[in-house]
């Protein structure tokens, strides 16, 4: 803890200095889309791993991030309509016309099943014929092979609320939930603590997917460039690691 305290203090000093050296004479607010229902990456209270990273990367350049919490699909619409300045957690294969940043974080998705179902998923082909629920745009973001595996499955669906995904799985209403490990663990613990699912509901996690890197994207390329420079600096200074560590200490190990 002492080491972490000194690291946080040093990082705070670095951020202060960066703000003084690089901030313009006027601050600019940026409305940025963050995916709802994705803790510990995004909490709709102004924090979370992803929210903190985006804020830390942009604030030294004089930007104030105003989070907008919506499902992925609605976020696309708002960006196209010109109602926001940027969006977080996006990939270039989304088809969104925007100025994309460098990769800044990743999700590691698994196929989760109930242990007592005794399902064995050795490949994506094993998803065929099963009731599968995934996050919005999963068929696009998780690659062509996954898209092919679920393309003709009438029991495949994508939903925005990932808490509902976990609840459906743990209550035995579906065979497979495809989602990030950190999000699954957060909601499982939440649902158990609320008494909505039994703590005896064991699960299996099948590693069928490579980690999926994500970017931010902005309307203005200048903002994108500032984000990339800020991201490089918070990685170099240790701020990036401190952000993750804060949530690891509060919840559990979150993969980088």
């Amino acid at each position: 803890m002492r080491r972490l305290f000194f690291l946080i203090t040093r990082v705070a000093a670095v951020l202060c200095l960066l703000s003084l050296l690089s901030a313009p004479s006027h601050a600019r607010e940026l409305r940025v889309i963050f995916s709802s229902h994705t803790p510990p990456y995004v909490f709709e209270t102004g924090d979370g791993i992803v929210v903190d990273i985006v804020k830390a990367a942009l604030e030294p350049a004089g930007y104030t991030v105003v989070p907008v919490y919506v499902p992925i699909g609605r976020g696309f619409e708002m960006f196209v309509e010109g109602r926001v300045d940027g969006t977080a957690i996006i990939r270039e294969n989304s088809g969104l016309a925007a100025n994309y940043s460098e990769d800044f974080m990743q999700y590691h998705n698994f196929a989760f099943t109930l242990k007592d179902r005794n399902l064995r998923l050795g490949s994506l082909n094993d998803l065929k014929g099963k009731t599968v629920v995934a996050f919005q745009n999963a068929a696009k973001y998780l690659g062509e092979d996954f898209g092919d595996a679920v393309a003709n499955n009438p029991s495949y669906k994508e939903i925005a609320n990932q808490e509902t995904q976990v609840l459906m799985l743990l209550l035995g209403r579906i065979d497979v939930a495809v989602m990030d490990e950190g999000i699954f663990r957060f909601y499982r613990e939440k649902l158990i603590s609320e008494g909505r699912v039994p703590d005896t509901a064991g699960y299996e996690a099948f590693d069928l997917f490579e980690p999926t890197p994500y970017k931010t994207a902005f309307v203005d390329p200048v903002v994108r460039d500032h984000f990339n420079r800020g991201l490089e600096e918070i990685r170099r200074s240790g701020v990036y690691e401190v952000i993750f560590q804060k949530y690891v200490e509060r919840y559990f190990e979150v993969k980088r």
Side-chain angles (χ1 to χ4, degrees):
M1 289 298 297
R2 181 177 297 178
R3 180 176 175 275
L4 179 60
F5 172 78
F6 284 123
L7 179 57
I8 292 173
T9 304
R10 182 170 65 84
V11 166
V14 170
L15 282 177
C16 247
L17 180 59
L18 285 173
S19 297
L20 291 172
L21 293 176
S22 60
S25 58
H26 63 283
R28 176 185 168 191
E29 284 192 350
L30 295 175
R31 285 171 53 82
V32 179
I33 292 289
F34 293 93
S35 300
S36 54
H37 310 297
T38 55
Y41 303 98
V42 176
F43 290 96
E44 295 177 35
T45 52
D47 61 352
I49 294 170
V50 167
V51 179
D52 288 358
I53 290 172
V54 172
K55 285 181 176 180
L58 286 170
E59 285 175 356
Y63 298 105
T64 299
V65 174
V66 179
V68 179
Y69 306 104
V70 294
I72 293 172
R74 181 59 186 140
F76 274 43
E77 294 172 4
M78 292 182 71
F79 192 98
V80 171
E81 292 165 0
R83 298 177 58 189
V84 294
D85 301 292
T87 181
I89 310 300
I90 195 152
R91 289 171 59 80
E92 288 180 283
N93 66 356
S94 69
L96 190 69
N99 296 286
Y100 289 85
S101 74
E102 300 293 335
D103 295 341
F104 82 104
M105 62 83 64
Q106 66 180 21
Y107 283 151
H108 195 167
N109 294 287
F110 287 78
F112 293 93
T113 67
L114 281 179
K115 197 166 190 177
D116 62 11
R117 290 272 175 101
N118 293 314
L119 298 176
R120 287 294 171 261
L121 305 179
S123 72
L124 293 175
N125 284 332
D126 293 331
L127 295 175
K128 294 179 179 178
K130 297 177 175 62
T131 53
V132 181
V133 174
F135 58 92
Q136 279 190 320
N137 281 359
K140 181 180 292 184
Y141 284 170
L142 292 180
E144 186 176 336
D145 290 343
F146 177 71
D148 290 344
V150 299
N152 298 312
N153 184 349
S155 298
Y156 172 76
K157 67 169 62 175
E158 296 177 359
I159 60 176
N161 191 327
Q162 296 197 267
E163 181 174 8
T164 300
Q165 269 186 269
V166 181
L167 182 63
M168 291 172 72
L169 178 74
L170 296 180
L171 292 180
R173 295 173 183 169
I174 59 174
D175 295 322
V176 184
V178 175
M179 61 195 306
D180 172 76
E181 180 186 30
I183 298 172
F184 176 85
R185 291 179 63 187
F186 180 90
Y187 277 131
R188 179 177 179 271
E189 292 180 12
K190 177 178 183 289
L191 291 168
I192 289 173
S193 70
E194 293 172 350
R196 297 170 66 190
V197 299
D199 59 6
T200 55
Y203 68 91
E204 301 273 8
F206 295 93
D207 192 359
L208 304 182
F209 309 95
E210 293 294 324
T212 309
Y214 282 88
K215 304 173 184 287
T216 56
F218 299 96
V219 174
D220 188 343
V222 173
V223 178
R224 183 271 316 279
D225 293 343
H226 281 145
F227 177 84
N228 284 340
R229 286 196 290 271
L231 177 64
E232 181 180 1
E233 178 55 35
I234 65 172
R235 280 177 165 152
R236 186 199 64 77
S237 65
V239 171
Y240 188 91
E241 182 62 29
V242 167
I243 290 170
F244 269 91
Q245 190 61 34
K246 179 173 73 171
Y247 292 94
V248 167
E249 291 189 351
R250 188 180 303 173
Y251 301 108
F252 44 74
E253 184 68 30
V254 183
K255 294 180 180 178
R256 313 297 193 269

